[in-house]
Amino acid sequence: MKAGFKRYLVPAGVVAGLFAVAWIAVTQGPMAVPVVKTSEASMGDLHPSVFGIGTVEARLSYAIGPTQAGRVLSVRVDHGDSVKAGQMLAEIDPVDLDERMKSAGLAAQRARLNAESAEAQVREAASRYKQAQSNAQRYQELVAKHFVSQEAAESRRNDADIALAALDASKSNLEASRRDMAKAGSEHEGVALQRANLKLVSPVDGIVISRDAEPGNTVVAGQSVLRVIDPASLWVRARMDQSSSRDLQPGLPAEIVLRSRQGVVLKGQVARVDIQSDSLTEERLVNVVFDQKPSEIFVGELAEVTVKMASLNNVLFVPSAAVRRIQNKSGVWRVESGKARFSPVTIGVQTLDGRTQILNGLKAGDAVIVYSPVDLEDGKKVKAGKAA
C-alpha cells in the first residue's frame, strides 16, 4: 500500500514542480507580460523655460597695446586697478622718436619760412611787372606822338615780358614752397602721432583684468600689454539647446545663479541671441544681462541661466518621459487591447519640470506609457499598471 502511494506521489510532485516553474516563468520570469506604468494626458497651464550654462564675460573688452614693435618702458597700473578714460596705463620706449620729432618740427619751421620768402618774392615780382607794364604802355603812347623811337618802345615791352615771366616763376616757386611746407607739417604730425601712440591710454572707465607685459619686455604691434574691461558691460554668455530655444528673443526675463553664490537667484533678461550657433554641440549662444549687478563679480565665473518663456494656458500635455522618437517621428506608447501601440503626436514646448505640450494626436484622458521595464515593440503584449 505504501509502496503504491509512493509510486504515485513522485510523479505528482514532478508535475507540480513543472507547473510551478511554468507559472513563475509566465508570470514573473522572462516569459511574463511586462507591467508598464501609465499616465493620462491632461489639460493645464505650462510655464516653459530654457536652461543653460554660461560664463560671466564683458561685452566691451579692450586689449591695449602698441601700434608698432618696441620695448615696454613702464607699466603704471596692475591687475584689478580701476582706471579712467584717457588715463595713461603704460608707455613704450620712444628710442629716437623725440629727436626725430624735433628734427621734423625744425624742418616744418624752415619750410614755413621758405614759403613766406616765396610770398615776398611774388609780391616783389608783381610790383616789377606792374611798373614794367606801365612803362611799356607810356612808351607806346610816346611813339604815337613821335617823341621816342619804335625801338625804345619795343625795349620797354620786352622788359614787361621779362617781368611777367619772373612773376610766373615766383608764383610757381611759392606753390612749391607751400607744398614743401605741407609735406614737412605732415611728417611732423606723423612723428608726433607715433610718439603719442607709445603712450597707452585707457579708452573707457574700466578695470584692469590682465597685465600681460612688464617693463623691459619687447612687444610687437598689436600685442596686448594690458587688458581693460568696462564693468557696466558684464553679462552671461550661456549655451542653450537649439531644440528648445526656438522662441528665445531679447527682453525675456531670466534667472542667474553664479557658481560662487549657490542658492542666490539674480534677476536678469535676455539682451541678445547670437545669430551664429554652434553646429557641433547644437547650441545657441544667449547673452543675458543683470537687472542689478552684484557688488562683487568675477569675469569667467560659471553661471546657471534659466530663461522664462511665455506661459501657455489650458493646453494638453503629457509627462516628457512618455514622449519617444522612433524613425524620426515623435510619438507615445499606448496600451490597446493588452498590446503596446505607437501613436505619432505633434509636440510643442517642453518644460524643465518634465511636461511636454501635445499639439495633436491625443486628447485629454488618454493613457500613455511613461515607463516600461523592457524595450517596447508595436504589438508587444503588456499589462498596464497603476496610473502614475
Side-chain angles (χ1 to χ4, degrees):
M1 181 69 178
K2 290 183 180 181
F5 178 75
K6 290 180 180 180
R7 187 169 60 250
Y8 289 108
L9 182 60
V10 172
V14 172
V15 171
L18 292 175
F19 178 80
V21 171
W23 182 83
I24 293 174
V26 171
T27 59
Q28 302 180 25
M31 299 177 61
V33 176
V35 179
V36 297
K37 293 183 179 180
T38 62
S39 180
E40 292 184 352
S42 307
M43 300 294 296
D45 299 337
L46 295 182
H47 305 285
S49 54
V50 185
F51 177 81
I53 300 292
T55 55
V56 177
E57 298 181 14
R59 182 171 60 88
L60 300 178
S61 178
Y62 305 89
I64 300 175
T67 57
Q68 59 185 5
R71 182 175 61 86
V72 178
L73 181 64
S74 64
V75 181
R76 303 188 178 188
V77 293
D78 204 352
H79 178 91
D81 289 348
S82 296
V83 296
K84 296 293 184 180
Q87 177 181 341
M88 189 167 77
L89 309 181
E91 186 175 9
I92 305 299
D93 189 351
V95 191
D96 63 343
L97 271 182
D98 289 337
E99 288 73 16
R100 288 171 56 192
M101 186 166 63
K102 183 178 180 180
S103 177
L106 292 174
Q109 185 178 6
R110 183 170 58 253
R112 180 176 58 80
L113 293 175
N114 290 338
E116 291 176 356
S117 176
E119 289 176 354
Q121 291 175 3
V122 169
R123 289 194 298 270
E124 180 183 1
S127 178
R128 290 179 181 276
Y129 171 68
K130 183 178 179 181
Q131 181 64 35
Q133 181 72 8
S134 176
N135 289 338
Q137 290 178 354
R138 184 167 60 86
Y139 266 71
Q140 192 65 35
E141 293 174 356
L142 292 176
V143 168
K145 296 178 181 181
H146 303 286
F147 288 157
V148 296
S149 65
Q150 183 66 34
E151 291 79 4
E154 291 177 354
S155 177
R156 295 299 180 182
R157 170 54 55 189
N158 184 58
D159 290 343
D161 292 341
I162 293 174
L164 177 60
L167 176 60
D168 291 339
S170 63
K171 287 181 178 179
S172 298
N173 184 50
L174 174 60
E175 180 64 23
S177 297
R178 286 175 174 173
R179 291 184 178 180
D180 289 343
M181 182 176 66
K183 178 182 178 182
S186 298
E187 290 177 350
H188 180 258
E189 291 177 359
V191 175
L193 182 60
Q194 290 181 18
R195 181 65 179 89
N197 287 340
L198 297 181
K199 296 180 179 180
L200 308 182
V201 300
S202 175
V204 296
D205 294 345
I207 298 175
V208 178
I209 64 168
S210 176
R211 178 167 166 162
D212 302 328
E214 297 297 333
N217 292 158
T218 299
V219 292
V220 299
Q223 182 178 342
S224 172
V225 175
L226 296 159
R227 292 182 183 273
V228 175
I229 65 167
D230 181 357
S233 69
L234 288 177
W235 61 9
V236 178
R237 283 178 62 82
R239 290 177 170 269
M240 298 186 174
D241 193 343
Q242 294 176 1
S243 64
S244 57
S245 61
R246 178 181 57 189
D247 296 323
L248 280 174
Q249 59 184 341
L252 288 174
E255 294 179 348
I256 306 168
V257 178
L258 299 174
R259 183 60 61 90
S260 61
R261 299 189 178 196
Q262 294 291 330
V264 179
V265 178
L266 303 173
K267 299 297 182 180
Q269 61 177 318
V270 176
R272 187 181 75 194
V273 180
D274 286 5
I275 297 176
Q276 180 68 46
S277 297
D278 192 325
S279 59
L280 294 178
T281 61
E282 299 183 353
E283 293 171 323
R284 298 186 70 182
L285 291 173
V286 181
N287 305 286
V288 180
V289 296
F290 297 89
D291 287 347
Q292 185 174 359
K293 294 183 182 65
S295 57
E296 188 177 46
I297 188 170
F298 301 95
V299 177
E301 180 175 359
L302 289 177
E304 300 175 356
V305 177
T306 304
V307 178
K308 302 294 185 180
M309 311 293 283
S311 296
L312 301 175
N313 299 321
N314 196 31
V315 296
L316 182 67
F317 65 89
V318 297
S320 296
V323 180
R324 294 289 183 269
R325 191 164 183 81
I326 299 178
Q327 295 180 352
N328 294 324
K329 291 183 179 180
S330 296
V332 295
W333 288 102
R334 301 183 59 191
V335 180
E336 297 179 0
S337 302
K339 295 182 179 180
R341 298 296 183 187
F342 185 74
S343 299
V345 297
T346 303
I347 64 174
V349 301
Q350 294 179 306
T351 65
L352 296 180
D353 59 357
R355 294 188 290 180
T356 298
Q357 179 189 11
I358 301 298
L359 300 177
N360 58 62
L362 291 176
K363 62 181 183 297
D366 287 346
V368 295
I369 299 175
V370 295
Y371 170 76
S372 173
V374 298
D375 293 335
L376 295 177
E377 297 177 358
D378 201 57
K380 185 179 183 65
K381 291 184 178 181
V382 294
K383 182 179 180 181
K386 185 178 180 181

